[in-house]
Amino acid sequence: MAPPLQHPTPTLPPRTTITHRLRERPPPHTNYAATSRITRVQNSGSRPTIERSGTTGIDKIVVVDNGDGITPEKARTAFKQVGNSDKRVGGTTDRLQRPLHGKAGRGRLRAFALGNATRWTSTARAGDGQLMRTTIESAISRRTTWRIDTQPMPGTDSPGTKVELWGKQANHLNKLLEPKAATQITATLAPYLLTWTDVRVIYDGQRIDPQTQIQAEEFENLTFDHEGQTYPFHIRLIH
């Protein structure tokens, strides 16, 4: 097992400017962990599930996708320090060229709003073609330290990532069990799912389908001029 990556606790901006920055607050509308993984999804999709306790509370949140996974090299770079992320400057996924969701490692810190312990288990194909499984673990008591372990996997295994969040008892987690949770997640992911129609998301057993919430659509074809050239663009208005 590789030694844990340790770095100093970051200095965050003053409280008055932190509302849109890295902060362990409950996600205002949706399960951020679920949306954070969406760009790693391929054909059969992402499956955020919720494990309930005997008292109807939440024991664990699990998000599984069948994307390309996280290679050991990317894991060590992305989890080296807060703010590191292959999404921090935008861009697209390596193979399918889909736009990346999230930035600056916010998902890692927001994860602690959903669980006191976190674990990423990801299988990806390394540069030499070998399938490697990378496990990344942390806890709220050491949230600036991630323990990363890698091991080779048989060729019959499949790429993909599973994120597990558990160990938090908080009332705001019960919002994930409310009927409106799926509606809010649908609204959040609608632009992405309508663009990348081969992506499928299943939230707690329910498929997220933006078409169920669309009342009307309008299309406009417009142009703009830039440096003497005219460029067409299209607007899609969804109601």
Side-chain angles (χ1 to χ4, degrees):
M1 180 177 292
L5 294 174
Q6 176 70 56
H7 56 83
T9 301
T11 301
L12 293 176
R15 188 176 182 85
T16 55
T17 63
I18 200 173
T19 55
H20 66 292
R21 299 294 300 279
L22 306 178
R23 187 176 175 188
E24 297 154 20
R25 64 184 185 273
H29 300 300
T30 186
N31 179 349
Y32 189 87
T35 58
S36 180
R37 307 305 313 171
I38 185 65
T39 55
R40 300 186 187 277
V41 172
Q42 290 183 15
N43 292 333
S44 61
S46 172
R47 295 180 180 271
T49 60
I50 299 170
E51 296 184 8
R52 294 159 171 80
S53 68
T55 58
T56 70
I58 293 177
D59 277 344
K60 180 187 282 189
I61 297 169
V62 183
V63 184
V64 181
D65 71 46
N66 67 339
D68 292 337
I70 306 171
T71 64
E73 296 78 15
K74 282 191 174 182
R76 296 191 180 282
T77 299
F79 288 81
K80 185 177 181 180
Q81 64 184 26
V82 174
N84 274 33
S85 172
D86 59 358
K87 299 176 286 187
R88 64 187 182 276
V89 291
T92 59
T93 57
D94 292 338
R95 186 171 63 86
L96 297 177
Q97 299 300 302
R98 290 176 176 155
L100 290 166
H101 183 96
K103 63 179 181 179
R106 290 182 180 179
R108 281 172 272 149
L109 287 187
R110 285 282 189 88
F112 290 116
L114 302 172
N116 289 344
T118 65
R119 178 167 58 228
W120 284 256
T121 304
S122 188
T123 301
R125 197 170 297 279
D128 60 1
Q130 170 69 54
L131 278 174
M132 299 292 295
R133 174 166 294 174
T134 302
T135 303
I136 308 160
E137 296 180 303
S138 187
I140 197 168
S141 59
R142 50 181 177 86
R143 56 188 176 274
T144 58
T145 302
W146 290 273
R147 184 175 297 277
I148 300 177
D149 181 44
T150 62
Q151 58 180 323
M153 298 301 294
T156 55
D157 207 10
S158 300
T161 301
K162 176 165 71 173
V163 182
E164 301 169 274
L165 314 168
W166 71 95
K168 182 179 287 291
Q169 300 296 321
N171 290 333
H172 72 260
L173 291 181
N174 291 328
K175 294 182 179 180
L176 299 176
L177 303 176
E178 296 177 357
K180 66 179 181 181
T183 300
Q184 293 171 332
I185 290 172
T186 302
T188 299
L189 298 183
Y192 193 97
L193 295 176
L194 290 171
T195 301
W196 303 94
T197 55
D198 60 334
V199 173
R200 186 174 63 176
V201 176
I202 308 295
Y203 177 76
D204 200 29
Q206 176 181 342
R207 181 175 179 179
I208 300 301
D209 183 4
Q211 296 291 344
T212 62
Q213 295 190 30
I214 295 177
Q215 299 178 357
E217 294 183 73
E218 298 178 41
F219 299 89
E220 291 189 34
N221 297 319
L222 303 173
T223 61
F224 70 94
D225 295 327
H226 178 68
E227 295 182 348
Q229 295 288 330
T230 300
Y231 300 90
F233 66 98
H234 311 281
I235 294 180
R236 182 182 185 183
L237 301 176
I238 301 174
H239 305 281

